[in-house]
Amino acid sequence: MNIGVDIGGTNMRAGIELGGSITRQSNILLENKESLSSTLSQLMDLIRPFTEYPVKGIGIGVPSVVDVDKGIVYNVMNIPSWEEVALRDIVEKEFNLPVFINNDVNCFTLGEHRFGLAKKYKSVVGMAIGTGLGSGIIINNELYSGNNCGAGEIGMLPYRDSILENYVCNRFFEDSLGCDAYEAHEAAIRGDSKVIRTWKEFGIHLGVVVKTILYTYDPEAIVLGGSIAKAERFFKPSMLESLKDFAYPESIKKLTLLLSENENIALLGAAALMEK
């Protein structure tokens, strides 16, 4: 029984992992993000009720680069006061429990591997597509974070006039249509032909990401998550079509593409940091 925490730029969630499920979950809206002391106090208040149960430790997923060995987080996305925070030491001191911290998309990927759709695969790449594009990597059943917790940042690779992320995240729809991906999804459902064409173009760009992952890691499975992945039916056909020019067609045949289904998978993956 472990506590899993998922920190976002707007909300923080926490819950207890028990038997592969999240129980006694809680969620808070993050306020006063300019203040380090205030945001840390909110985090402690979120976690504290769960420490009353016989938990072994706390795992925390954070949208940032993490010094995994020291438990320090840097430049946390959308929390300006978290430029460099020794989060592990702070939380361990507060609750006298072991604490493990990692990137949020790494936690998403670990959750899918330990408890979700990717349990039967030894090598997996998880992708969270939303405000940005993040990736997590499982190699030989182990989470691979890299030397600076920066492994899997496929979205930062140069692409066209910018980087891959800007073509495979919410910004793509803002630039192309002047609306966010949620609105674009709703318009596609209504049958808007221009928007549907934009989703097809999005699928082609996503196909470039998939090919990059295959050339780099050659995993057994790729798991798509994040808010934009819910629009799969509008981008998947063009994504698959774009994979036909991949240099190693047998790799495409063997690849399994999965769509994440469990809304608590990142919490489960954070809790699993205790066991990895």
Side-chain angles (χ1 to χ4, degrees):
M1 186 185 292
N2 300 312
I3 297 172
V5 181
D6 183 28
I7 296 177
T10 304
N11 298 282
M12 293 182 178
R13 297 192 302 151
I16 293 177
E17 182 274 316
L18 179 62
S21 297
I22 292 294
T23 63
R24 301 181 178 89
Q25 183 180 162
S26 183
N27 179 73
I28 63 168
L29 180 66
L30 191 58
E31 300 175 339
N32 196 15
K33 293 188 285 185
E34 301 290 339
S35 169
L36 177 60
S37 61
S38 174
T39 50
L40 287 174
S41 178
Q42 292 172 67
L43 176 62
M44 301 309 168
D45 289 344
L46 173 68
I47 294 173
R48 187 167 291 107
F50 299 107
T51 62
E52 297 175 1
Y53 299 93
V55 296
K56 293 184 289 184
I58 304 167
I60 304 175
V62 186
S64 71
V65 171
V66 180
D67 184 326
V68 175
D69 293 332
K70 296 180 179 179
I72 301 173
V73 301
Y74 298 93
N75 305 115
V76 177
M77 188 181 299
N78 295 319
I79 309 180
S81 58
W82 287 32
E83 293 183 356
E84 181 177 338
V85 182
L87 191 59
R88 184 189 66 192
D89 290 348
I90 293 168
V91 179
E92 284 187 345
K93 182 178 179 180
E94 180 73 19
F95 298 116
N96 195 31
L97 285 168
V99 175
F100 289 83
I101 300 171
N102 212 307
N103 173 266
D104 59 342
V105 185
N106 285 348
C107 290
F108 160 75
T109 307
L110 183 62
E112 287 291 0
H113 181 254
R114 296 293 171 85
F115 303 107
L117 300 176
K119 285 190 291 187
K120 66 180 182 179
Y121 302 104
K122 293 189 295 183
S123 59
V124 181
V125 172
M127 280 200 293
I129 314 169
T131 304
L133 171 67
S135 302
I137 305 159
I138 300 288
I139 298 175
N140 291 329
N141 293 317
E142 295 291 333
L143 179 64
Y144 178 71
S145 300
N147 190 46
N148 300 293
C149 201
E153 291 296 337
I154 303 295
M156 294 297 104
L157 292 173
Y159 181 62
R160 295 196 173 186
D161 61 343
S162 183
I163 57 175
L164 268 172
E165 180 175 78
N166 289 336
Y167 288 86
V168 191
C169 72
N170 190 64
R171 179 174 174 177
F172 173 73
F173 297 95
E174 293 174 342
D175 291 345
S176 302
L177 299 170
C179 66
D180 62 24
Y182 176 81
E183 293 169 315
H185 188 194
E186 293 295 305
I189 292 172
R190 293 193 301 269
D192 187 311
S193 58
K194 178 183 177 182
V195 174
I196 290 172
R197 287 195 300 272
T198 302
W199 276 108
K200 289 180 179 178
E201 184 181 349
F202 174 87
I204 294 169
H205 297 313
L206 181 56
V208 173
V209 178
V210 172
K211 285 185 279 191
T212 302
I213 289 171
L214 285 168
Y215 284 128
T216 308
Y217 300 108
D218 192 21
E220 295 173 271
I222 294 176
V223 188
L224 301 181
S227 57
I228 292 180
K230 296 175 183 177
E232 178 195 28
R233 70 184 176 104
F234 293 107
F235 65 75
K236 187 175 180 179
S238 59
M239 179 190 73
L240 294 176
E241 182 68 24
S242 74
L243 299 180
K244 289 184 177 180
D245 66 354
F246 189 70
Y248 310 113
E250 287 303 313
S251 298
I252 298 296
K253 292 178 183 178
K254 294 178 181 179
L255 176 68
T256 300
L257 289 167
L258 303 165
L259 182 65
S260 183
E261 299 172 348
N262 189 334
E263 63 181 14
N264 289 326
I265 205 67
L267 281 178
L268 288 167
L273 291 173
M274 292 294 304
E275 311 295 338
K276 75 178 188 66

